[in-house]
Amino acid sequence: MSNSQLDSGDINWWCDQTPHPEPCKYFTSHSHNHPLPQNRFDFRKIMVQVTMERALMAQKQVLRFRPKRNNKRQKAVRADCLKLHDNTILQLNRSLDGIA
């Protein structure tokens, strides 16, 4: 196996190929353990999985937020935010289905 093939199994090498390598490295290093990508297909799948993990974490934060009063504006903001997260998670699931 050549050095370039060995390097391509390293997540940092893959992140360096993206327009924003530092956030890529940060979020993959703070994610669940994923197998090292061996090709572009693997890397793409890992990135969608990492994004899904972050979307689910954000959704949990929104679910924990409860307006203290009967403030209609806060309730509307929370409802909109939950809907946005639901749509994001739906689209990420569709992406994962398309990759698989």
Side-chain angles (χ1 to χ4, degrees):
M1 193 176 258
S2 72
N3 283 342
S4 64
Q5 288 173 314
L6 287 173
D7 291 343
S8 67
D10 177 21
I11 195 70
N12 290 327
W13 183 89
W14 285 99
C15 285
D16 285 338
Q17 309 309 305
T18 69
H20 305 286
E22 293 311 313
C24 176
K25 291 174 187 177
Y26 174 83
F27 287 112
T28 55
S29 71
H30 289 86
S31 175
H32 293 110
N33 290 333
H34 295 281
L36 292 176
Q38 299 302 310
N39 54 50
R40 188 179 297 183
F41 171 83
D42 291 345
F43 179 68
R44 220 175 299 163
K45 185 175 179 181
I46 290 168
M47 290 298 97
V48 175
Q49 290 169 338
V50 168
T51 305
M52 176 68 83
E53 290 168 15
R54 289 293 170 166
L56 290 169
M57 287 171 54
Q59 185 184 48
K60 286 180 187 177
Q61 292 287 340
V62 174
L63 287 168
R64 287 187 195 128
F65 173 73
R66 300 271 189 229
K68 295 183 188 219
R69 298 186 185 140
N70 256 349
N71 184 321
K72 289 181 183 179
R73 183 176 289 171
Q74 286 180 346
K75 286 181 179 181
V77 167
R78 182 176 185 267
D80 288 348
C81 196
L82 285 171
K83 185 176 180 179
L84 176 63
H85 279 89
D86 287 344
N87 288 337
T88 299
I89 291 166
L90 175 69
Q91 293 302 321
L92 288 168
N93 275 319
R94 287 180 177 165
S95 295
L96 283 172
D97 288 346
I99 292 173

